[in-house]
Short mmCIF file of all heavy atoms in Angstrom, two decimals:
data_model
loop_
_atom_site.label_atom_id
_atom_site.label_comp_id
_atom_site.label_asym_id
_atom_site.label_seq_id
_atom_site.Cartn_x
_atom_site.Cartn_y
_atom_site.Cartn_z
N GLY A 1 0.84 -1.20 -0.02
CA GLY A 1 0.01 -0.01 0.00
C GLY A 1 0.86 1.22 0.01
O GLY A 1 1.94 1.23 0.58
N GLN A 2 0.42 2.29 -0.67
CA GLN A 2 1.17 3.53 -0.76
C GLN A 2 0.28 4.71 -0.40
O GLN A 2 -0.93 4.70 -0.62
CB GLN A 2 1.71 3.67 -2.18
CG GLN A 2 2.70 2.63 -2.59
CD GLN A 2 3.32 2.94 -3.93
OE1 GLN A 2 4.31 2.26 -4.32
NE2 GLN A 2 2.79 3.88 -4.66
N SER A 3 0.91 5.74 0.17
CA SER A 3 0.23 6.99 0.42
C SER A 3 1.19 8.15 0.09
O SER A 3 2.43 7.97 0.17
CB SER A 3 -0.23 7.09 1.85
OG SER A 3 0.86 7.10 2.76
N LEU A 4 0.64 9.27 -0.29
CA LEU A 4 1.42 10.45 -0.63
C LEU A 4 1.39 11.51 0.47
O LEU A 4 0.36 11.70 1.08
CB LEU A 4 0.92 11.03 -1.94
CG LEU A 4 1.01 10.13 -3.18
CD1 LEU A 4 0.32 10.82 -4.38
CD2 LEU A 4 2.46 9.84 -3.50
N PHE A 5 2.50 12.14 0.70
CA PHE A 5 2.56 13.17 1.73
C PHE A 5 1.68 14.37 1.38
O PHE A 5 1.26 15.08 2.30
CB PHE A 5 4.04 13.59 1.93
CG PHE A 5 4.81 12.70 2.85
CD1 PHE A 5 5.00 11.36 2.55
CD2 PHE A 5 5.43 13.19 3.98
CE1 PHE A 5 5.72 10.51 3.37
CE2 PHE A 5 6.17 12.38 4.82
CZ PHE A 5 6.32 11.03 4.51
N ARG A 6 1.46 14.60 0.10
CA ARG A 6 0.67 15.75 -0.26
C ARG A 6 -0.78 15.61 0.15
O ARG A 6 -1.57 16.58 0.11
CB ARG A 6 0.77 16.02 -1.74
CG ARG A 6 0.19 14.98 -2.66
CD ARG A 6 0.12 15.47 -4.14
NE ARG A 6 -0.33 14.47 -5.05
CZ ARG A 6 0.43 13.76 -5.82
NH1 ARG A 6 1.74 13.93 -5.80
NH2 ARG A 6 -0.04 12.83 -6.65
N ALA A 7 -1.20 14.43 0.61
CA ALA A 7 -2.53 14.23 1.14
C ALA A 7 -2.56 14.27 2.68
O ALA A 7 -3.62 14.03 3.27
CB ALA A 7 -3.08 12.90 0.65
N ASN A 8 -1.39 14.55 3.30
CA ASN A 8 -1.30 14.57 4.73
C ASN A 8 -1.37 15.99 5.26
O ASN A 8 -0.57 16.85 4.84
CB ASN A 8 0.02 13.90 5.17
CG ASN A 8 0.24 13.93 6.66
OD1 ASN A 8 0.80 14.88 7.21
ND2 ASN A 8 -0.20 12.88 7.33
N GLY A 9 -2.30 16.26 6.16
CA GLY A 9 -2.52 17.63 6.64
C GLY A 9 -1.30 18.25 7.28
O GLY A 9 -1.00 19.41 7.04
N LYS A 10 -0.61 17.51 8.14
CA LYS A 10 0.53 18.07 8.83
C LYS A 10 1.67 18.38 7.85
O LYS A 10 2.30 19.43 7.97
CB LYS A 10 1.03 17.04 9.87
CG LYS A 10 2.28 17.47 10.66
CD LYS A 10 2.00 18.63 11.62
CE LYS A 10 3.22 19.00 12.45
NZ LYS A 10 3.65 17.89 13.37
N ALA A 11 1.92 17.49 6.88
CA ALA A 11 2.97 17.74 5.91
C ALA A 11 2.67 18.97 5.07
O ALA A 11 3.59 19.80 4.81
CB ALA A 11 3.09 16.52 4.98
N LEU A 12 1.42 19.14 4.69
CA LEU A 12 1.04 20.35 3.94
C LEU A 12 1.21 21.61 4.78
O LEU A 12 1.70 22.62 4.31
CB LEU A 12 -0.40 20.25 3.43
CG LEU A 12 -0.63 19.28 2.22
CD1 LEU A 12 -2.11 19.23 1.90
CD2 LEU A 12 0.18 19.74 1.03
N ALA A 13 0.79 21.52 6.05
CA ALA A 13 0.91 22.69 6.93
C ALA A 13 2.37 23.08 7.16
O ALA A 13 2.72 24.25 7.31
CB ALA A 13 0.24 22.38 8.27
N MET A 14 3.28 22.08 7.12
CA MET A 14 4.69 22.32 7.29
C MET A 14 5.35 22.81 6.01
O MET A 14 6.52 23.18 6.03
CB MET A 14 5.42 21.06 7.74
CG MET A 14 4.99 20.54 9.10
SD MET A 14 5.72 18.92 9.46
CE MET A 14 7.45 19.35 9.63
N GLY A 15 4.60 22.80 4.90
CA GLY A 15 5.17 23.19 3.62
C GLY A 15 6.07 22.09 3.09
O GLY A 15 7.01 22.36 2.31
N GLU A 16 5.77 20.84 3.41
CA GLU A 16 6.59 19.66 3.02
C GLU A 16 5.69 18.62 2.30
O GLU A 16 5.49 17.52 2.81
CB GLU A 16 7.24 19.02 4.24
CG GLU A 16 8.16 19.94 5.02
CD GLU A 16 9.53 20.12 4.33
OE1 GLU A 16 9.73 19.48 3.30
OE2 GLU A 16 10.34 20.90 4.85
N PRO A 17 5.16 18.96 1.12
CA PRO A 17 4.23 18.05 0.46
C PRO A 17 4.89 16.90 -0.30
O PRO A 17 4.23 15.95 -0.73
CB PRO A 17 3.50 18.95 -0.52
CG PRO A 17 4.55 19.98 -0.86
CD PRO A 17 5.35 20.22 0.39
N GLU A 18 6.21 16.99 -0.50
CA GLU A 18 6.89 15.97 -1.31
C GLU A 18 7.16 14.74 -0.48
O GLU A 18 7.82 14.77 0.51
CB GLU A 18 8.24 16.53 -1.82
CG GLU A 18 9.02 15.60 -2.71
CD GLU A 18 8.30 15.29 -4.01
OE1 GLU A 18 7.87 16.25 -4.69
OE2 GLU A 18 8.17 14.12 -4.36
N GLY A 19 6.62 13.58 -0.92
CA GLY A 19 6.93 12.35 -0.19
C GLY A 19 6.03 11.18 -0.53
O GLY A 19 4.90 11.37 -1.06
N LEU A 20 6.52 9.99 -0.22
CA LEU A 20 5.81 8.76 -0.46
C LEU A 20 6.06 7.79 0.68
O LEU A 20 7.18 7.67 1.15
CB LEU A 20 6.34 8.13 -1.78
CG LEU A 20 5.90 6.70 -2.09
CD1 LEU A 20 4.42 6.65 -2.45
CD2 LEU A 20 6.76 6.12 -3.22
N CYS A 21 5.01 7.10 1.10
CA CYS A 21 5.12 6.04 2.10
C CYS A 21 4.64 4.73 1.45
O CYS A 21 3.51 4.67 0.94
CB CYS A 21 4.25 6.35 3.33
SG CYS A 21 4.22 5.00 4.54
N LYS A 22 5.53 3.73 1.47
CA LYS A 22 5.19 2.45 0.83
C LYS A 22 5.38 1.35 1.87
O LYS A 22 6.47 1.19 2.42
CB LYS A 22 6.11 2.24 -0.38
CG LYS A 22 5.99 0.88 -1.04
CD LYS A 22 6.93 0.77 -2.22
CE LYS A 22 6.86 -0.56 -2.95
NZ LYS A 22 7.79 -0.65 -4.10
N LEU A 23 4.35 0.60 2.15
CA LEU A 23 4.36 -0.50 3.08
C LEU A 23 4.22 -1.84 2.36
O LEU A 23 3.46 -1.93 1.44
CB LEU A 23 3.28 -0.34 4.14
CG LEU A 23 3.27 0.94 4.95
CD1 LEU A 23 2.15 0.91 5.97
CD2 LEU A 23 4.59 1.21 5.65
N ILE A 24 4.93 -2.83 2.86
CA ILE A 24 4.91 -4.17 2.26
C ILE A 24 4.47 -5.17 3.31
O ILE A 24 5.09 -5.23 4.42
CB ILE A 24 6.27 -4.53 1.66
CG1 ILE A 24 6.66 -3.56 0.58
CG2 ILE A 24 6.25 -5.94 1.14
CD1 ILE A 24 8.08 -3.76 0.04
N PHE A 25 3.45 -5.95 3.01
CA PHE A 25 2.95 -6.99 3.92
C PHE A 25 3.09 -8.36 3.26
O PHE A 25 2.87 -8.52 2.07
CB PHE A 25 1.46 -6.73 4.24
CG PHE A 25 1.21 -5.43 4.99
CD1 PHE A 25 1.08 -4.26 4.27
CD2 PHE A 25 1.12 -5.45 6.35
CE1 PHE A 25 0.85 -3.05 4.95
CE2 PHE A 25 0.89 -4.28 7.04
CZ PHE A 25 0.77 -3.06 6.35
N ARG A 26 3.44 -9.35 4.06
CA ARG A 26 3.50 -10.70 3.55
C ARG A 26 2.06 -11.19 3.29
O ARG A 26 1.22 -11.05 4.12
CB ARG A 26 4.19 -11.65 4.57
CG ARG A 26 4.66 -12.98 4.03
CD ARG A 26 5.61 -13.62 4.96
NE ARG A 26 5.19 -13.60 6.35
CZ ARG A 26 5.95 -13.28 7.36
NH1 ARG A 26 7.23 -12.96 7.15
NH2 ARG A 26 5.51 -13.26 8.61
N LYS A 27 1.85 -11.77 2.14
CA LYS A 27 0.48 -12.05 1.68
C LYS A 27 -0.19 -13.14 2.50
O LYS A 27 -1.40 -13.05 2.81
CB LYS A 27 0.47 -12.47 0.23
CG LYS A 27 -0.89 -12.55 -0.41
CD LYS A 27 -0.81 -12.78 -1.90
CE LYS A 27 -2.22 -12.81 -2.53
NZ LYS A 27 -2.17 -12.97 -3.99
N ASP A 28 0.58 -14.16 2.92
CA ASP A 28 -0.08 -15.28 3.58
C ASP A 28 -0.57 -15.00 4.97
O ASP A 28 -1.54 -15.59 5.46
CB ASP A 28 0.82 -16.51 3.60
CG ASP A 28 2.14 -16.28 4.36
OD1 ASP A 28 2.33 -15.17 4.86
OD2 ASP A 28 2.92 -17.20 4.42
N ASP A 29 0.04 -14.02 5.69
CA ASP A 29 -0.40 -13.71 7.05
C ASP A 29 -0.60 -12.23 7.32
O ASP A 29 -0.91 -11.85 8.42
CB ASP A 29 0.59 -14.29 8.09
CG ASP A 29 2.00 -13.81 7.93
OD1 ASP A 29 2.23 -12.87 7.12
OD2 ASP A 29 2.92 -14.33 8.58
N ASN A 30 -0.38 -11.38 6.26
CA ASN A 30 -0.56 -9.91 6.37
C ASN A 30 0.35 -9.25 7.41
O ASN A 30 0.04 -8.16 7.91
CB ASN A 30 -2.04 -9.61 6.73
CG ASN A 30 -2.94 -9.71 5.53
OD1 ASN A 30 -2.53 -9.32 4.42
ND2 ASN A 30 -4.11 -10.26 5.70
N VAL A 31 1.48 -9.86 7.73
CA VAL A 31 2.45 -9.26 8.65
C VAL A 31 3.30 -8.21 7.89
O VAL A 31 3.71 -8.43 6.77
CB VAL A 31 3.40 -10.32 9.26
CG1 VAL A 31 4.55 -9.67 9.97
CG2 VAL A 31 2.62 -11.21 10.18
N LEU A 32 3.51 -7.04 8.53
CA LEU A 32 4.34 -6.00 7.93
C LEU A 32 5.78 -6.46 7.88
O LEU A 32 6.36 -6.83 8.88
CB LEU A 32 4.25 -4.74 8.79
CG LEU A 32 5.07 -3.53 8.31
CD1 LEU A 32 4.58 -2.99 7.00
CD2 LEU A 32 5.05 -2.39 9.39
N ILE A 33 6.36 -6.46 6.66
CA ILE A 33 7.75 -6.92 6.50
C ILE A 33 8.66 -5.87 5.86
O ILE A 33 9.84 -6.09 5.73
CB ILE A 33 7.81 -8.21 5.68
CG1 ILE A 33 7.19 -8.02 4.29
CG2 ILE A 33 7.13 -9.35 6.41
CD1 ILE A 33 7.39 -9.25 3.37
N GLY A 34 8.09 -4.73 5.46
CA GLY A 34 8.92 -3.68 4.85
C GLY A 34 8.20 -2.34 4.90
O GLY A 34 7.03 -2.26 4.69
N ALA A 35 9.00 -1.31 5.15
CA ALA A 35 8.46 0.05 5.10
C ALA A 35 9.49 0.95 4.48
O ALA A 35 10.67 0.93 4.82
CB ALA A 35 8.15 0.58 6.50
N HIS A 36 9.08 1.74 3.45
CA HIS A 36 9.97 2.57 2.66
C HIS A 36 9.32 3.92 2.47
O HIS A 36 8.28 4.04 1.91
CB HIS A 36 10.26 1.87 1.33
CG HIS A 36 10.66 0.44 1.53
ND1 HIS A 36 11.95 0.10 1.85
CD2 HIS A 36 9.95 -0.71 1.51
CE1 HIS A 36 12.03 -1.20 2.02
NE2 HIS A 36 10.83 -1.74 1.83
N ILE A 37 10.04 4.95 2.99
CA ILE A 37 9.44 6.27 3.13
C ILE A 37 10.35 7.34 2.67
O ILE A 37 11.55 7.33 3.00
CB ILE A 37 9.05 6.50 4.61
CG1 ILE A 37 8.16 5.36 5.12
CG2 ILE A 37 8.31 7.84 4.73
CD1 ILE A 37 7.97 5.35 6.61
N MET A 38 9.85 8.31 1.89
CA MET A 38 10.58 9.50 1.54
C MET A 38 9.71 10.68 1.89
O MET A 38 8.55 10.75 1.46
CB MET A 38 10.90 9.55 0.05
CG MET A 38 11.83 10.70 -0.32
SD MET A 38 11.70 11.20 -2.05
CE MET A 38 10.24 12.25 -2.03
N GLY A 39 10.22 11.61 2.64
CA GLY A 39 9.45 12.79 3.03
C GLY A 39 9.89 13.30 4.39
O GLY A 39 10.80 12.74 5.04
N VAL A 40 9.27 14.38 4.83
CA VAL A 40 9.60 14.94 6.09
C VAL A 40 9.42 13.95 7.21
O VAL A 40 8.45 13.18 7.22
CB VAL A 40 8.74 16.22 6.37
CG1 VAL A 40 7.28 15.91 6.45
CG2 VAL A 40 9.23 16.95 7.61
#
């Protein structure tokens, strides 16, 4: 799943809209196994 910082209220208020959050879950049990983030 991915989300963009430009849709985050705090990031916009800070003047920091540039960013991406990408989360990776193992399919068989939905456990979080990776998180990759660029932004404030």
Side-chain angles (χ1 to χ4, degrees):
Q2 296 185 170
S3 64
L4 297 174
F5 277 59
R6 64 170 176 260
N8 179 271
K10 178 70 177 295
L12 285 177
M14 294 173 69
E16 299 283 357
E18 183 65 50
L20 169 70
C21 175
K22 176 180 179 179
L23 303 183
I24 298 174
F25 296 84
R26 195 164 48 225
K27 190 172 184 178
D28 61 359
D29 57 9
N30 283 320
V31 169
L32 179 65
I33 59 173
H36 309 279
I37 307 167
M38 187 203 82
V40 63

